[in-house]
């Protein structure tokens, strides 16, 4: 068996290849480099260049080292026919859901208890801030909405609801979770957004969801609401967020993903005290669980069995 591996993070590649070699001792695992057009049975990749998919004999499936496949689908949209006609397989939860829930819970409680305002006062006061308590938002009226109900969004919604917060969910098709008020389909999106105090975005990145975090969306939230974007930078219309913060329509935002990563040094988000930035770390791919899952799926494919995580290219996830 021949396995082709690629990640743009060159320093990480040796550890990945070593883990794959241990898990699949009968396989030949090689790192792709420009000019490599040799045959391979499987490709395991993260944000590969189009050149990697040049006609390649024997390819049976492409595995992606993440839950999102938007980078590959963008290649296909720019150059139709770039992706080979084989299954494209994303990672299903390999510890990412728990990480995502931790991030969402931390952010929800930070805003509900107004810790962000204490932090801002400390930074801006130089020791002269008033020594006084701020009344926290009432839990029962701190309505949280989880936009996107895949494996990660489902776990986040369940975890937030377990804290006693009033939680709503929104998905393309109807899905139900105990303790969560469900909305689905474009017609129900305004009702889902109406009066939310905190909006957590976990949608897949598709042409239909691009720019969904915009002025119209913000106008339906509670005045002084909070935004958390954990999905993709393409979901957010950045200048609409800046305007909403300047106008007081939104109180603050926490962003883990951006249209351009790393976030350029000149970007205004760096200098906006009401914007909290993290470098795309809300749910990191854990190498050993990911390798274990990919190994199971390769073995299942070799036996002719069905596997989960195959991406519907039309839907984008």
């Amino acid at each position: 068996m021949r396995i082709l591996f690629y990640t743009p993070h060159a320093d990480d590649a040796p550890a990945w290849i070593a883990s794959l070699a241990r898990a699949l001792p009968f396989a030949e695992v090689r790192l792709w480099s420009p000019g490599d057009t040799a045959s391979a049975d499987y490709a395991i990749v993260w944000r590969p260049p189009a050149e990697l998919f040049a006609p390649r004999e024997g390819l049976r499936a492409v595995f992606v080292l993440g839950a999102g496949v938007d980078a590959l689908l963008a290649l296909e949209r720019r150059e139709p026919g770039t992706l080979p006609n084989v299954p494209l397989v994303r990672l299903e939860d390999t510890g990412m859901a728990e990480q995502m829930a931790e991030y969402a819970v931390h952010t929800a409680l930070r805003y509900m208890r107004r810790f962000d305002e204490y932090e801002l006062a400390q930074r801006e006061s130089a020791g002269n801030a008033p020594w006084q308590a701020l009344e926290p938002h009432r839990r029962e009226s701190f309505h949280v909405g989880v936009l996107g109900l895949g494996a990660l969004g489902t776990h986040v919604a369940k975890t937030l609801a377990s804290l006693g917060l009033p939680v709503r969910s929104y998905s393309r098709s109807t899905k139900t979770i105990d303790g969560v008020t469900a909305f689905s389909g474009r017609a129900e999106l305004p009702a889902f957004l109406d009066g939310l105090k905190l909006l957590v975005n976990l949608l897949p990145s598709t042409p239909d969801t691009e720019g969904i975090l915009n002025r119209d969306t913000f106008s339906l939230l509670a005045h002084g609401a909070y935004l958390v974007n954990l999905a993709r930078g393409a979901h957010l219309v950045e200048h609409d967020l800046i305007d909403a913060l300047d106008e007081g329509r939104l109180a603050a935002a926490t962003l883990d993903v951006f249209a351009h990563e790393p976030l350029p040094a000149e970007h205004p988000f760096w200098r906006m005290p009401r914007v909290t930035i993290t470098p795309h770390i809300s749910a990191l791919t854990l190498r050993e669980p990911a390798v274990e899952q990919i190994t199971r799926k390769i073995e299942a494919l070799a036996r002719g069995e069905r596997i989960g995580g195959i991406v519907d290219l039309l839907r984008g996830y």
Side-chain angles (χ1 to χ4, degrees):
M1 181 187 298
R2 299 147 301 175
I3 295 177
L4 190 64
F5 180 84
Y6 176 82
T7 173
H9 309 296
D11 292 346
D12 295 340
W16 278 99
I17 290 174
S19 292
L20 287 163
R22 286 193 298 271
L24 296 162
F26 49 86
E28 171 199 308
V29 185
R30 74 178 188 272
L31 180 66
W32 181 83
S33 59
D36 178 349
T37 59
S39 60
D41 297 292
Y42 300 100
I44 301 173
V45 300
W46 181 246
R47 296 188 176 275
E51 184 186 351
L52 183 145
F53 296 110
R56 190 175 300 279
E57 292 183 2
L59 198 62
R60 301 177 60 188
V62 175
F63 291 88
V64 181
L65 295 176
V69 296
D70 47 296
L72 286 176
L73 297 182
L75 285 179
E76 181 67 19
R77 286 195 296 272
R78 287 196 299 270
E79 299 181 43
T82 295
L83 295 183
N85 187 26
V86 298
L88 178 62
V89 188
R90 60 177 175 80
L91 283 181
E92 297 173 283
D93 184 24
T94 55
M96 290 180 282
E98 194 63 40
Q99 295 177 70
M100 197 72 80
E102 290 168 351
Y103 193 115
V105 166
H106 164 78
T107 307
L109 296 180
R110 176 172 178 253
Y111 287 141
M112 188 185 76
R113 292 288 305 275
R114 300 178 67 180
F115 291 134
D116 63 310
E117 295 177 59
Y118 291 120
E119 293 164 10
L120 183 61
Q122 178 183 350
R123 289 199 304 271
E124 294 184 343
S125 69
N128 297 314
W131 189 261
Q132 65 183 33
L134 300 174
E135 184 177 354
H137 297 291
R138 296 176 60 186
R139 185 181 298 258
E140 60 270 22
S141 60
F142 197 79
H143 293 275
V144 179
V146 177
L147 189 59
L149 215 58
L152 303 183
T154 295
H155 189 67
V156 167
K158 288 179 178 178
T159 305
L160 290 168
S162 73
L163 301 176
L165 292 165
V167 178
R168 305 175 196 169
S169 66
Y170 175 84
S171 54
R172 179 174 177 172
S173 56
T174 303
K175 298 180 181 179
T176 58
I177 300 172
D178 288 344
V180 176
T181 305
F183 296 82
S184 61
R186 277 285 179 175
E188 294 188 4
L189 182 59
F192 161 78
L193 295 168
D194 184 39
L196 285 177
K197 195 64 177 175
L198 174 67
L199 177 62
V200 181
N201 178 44
L202 284 162
L203 284 169
S205 181
T206 69
D208 288 341
T209 63
E210 184 174 345
I212 194 170
L213 303 177
N214 57 36
R215 176 176 292 275
D216 292 340
T217 294
F218 303 150
S219 71
L220 296 173
L221 306 178
H223 190 81
Y226 305 94
L227 172 68
V228 182
N229 189 15
L230 305 180
R232 287 293 185 268
H235 290 127
L236 176 63
V237 180
E238 293 181 349
H239 61 79
D240 283 1
L241 172 60
I242 292 170
D243 289 346
L245 291 167
D246 287 345
E247 296 163 3
R249 160 56 61 186
L250 295 184
T254 294
L255 308 175
D256 186 53
V257 290
F258 306 91
H260 301 285
E261 297 180 3
L263 188 66
E266 67 276 10
H267 199 287
F269 286 160
W270 285 112
R271 295 171 293 281
M272 296 183 68
R274 292 289 183 176
V275 176
T276 299
I277 294 167
T278 52
H280 206 145
I281 49 79
S282 55
L284 300 173
T285 298
L286 303 178
R287 186 174 65 252
E288 294 305 327
V291 168
E292 180 183 353
Q293 183 178 126
I294 291 169
T295 298
R296 289 200 312 268
K297 290 183 176 181
I298 287 176
E299 292 171 345
L301 288 173
R303 295 190 297 267
E305 298 171 1
R306 296 172 61 88
I307 61 171
I310 295 179
V311 175
D312 181 329
L313 297 185
L314 294 178
R315 297 175 69 177
Y317 55 92

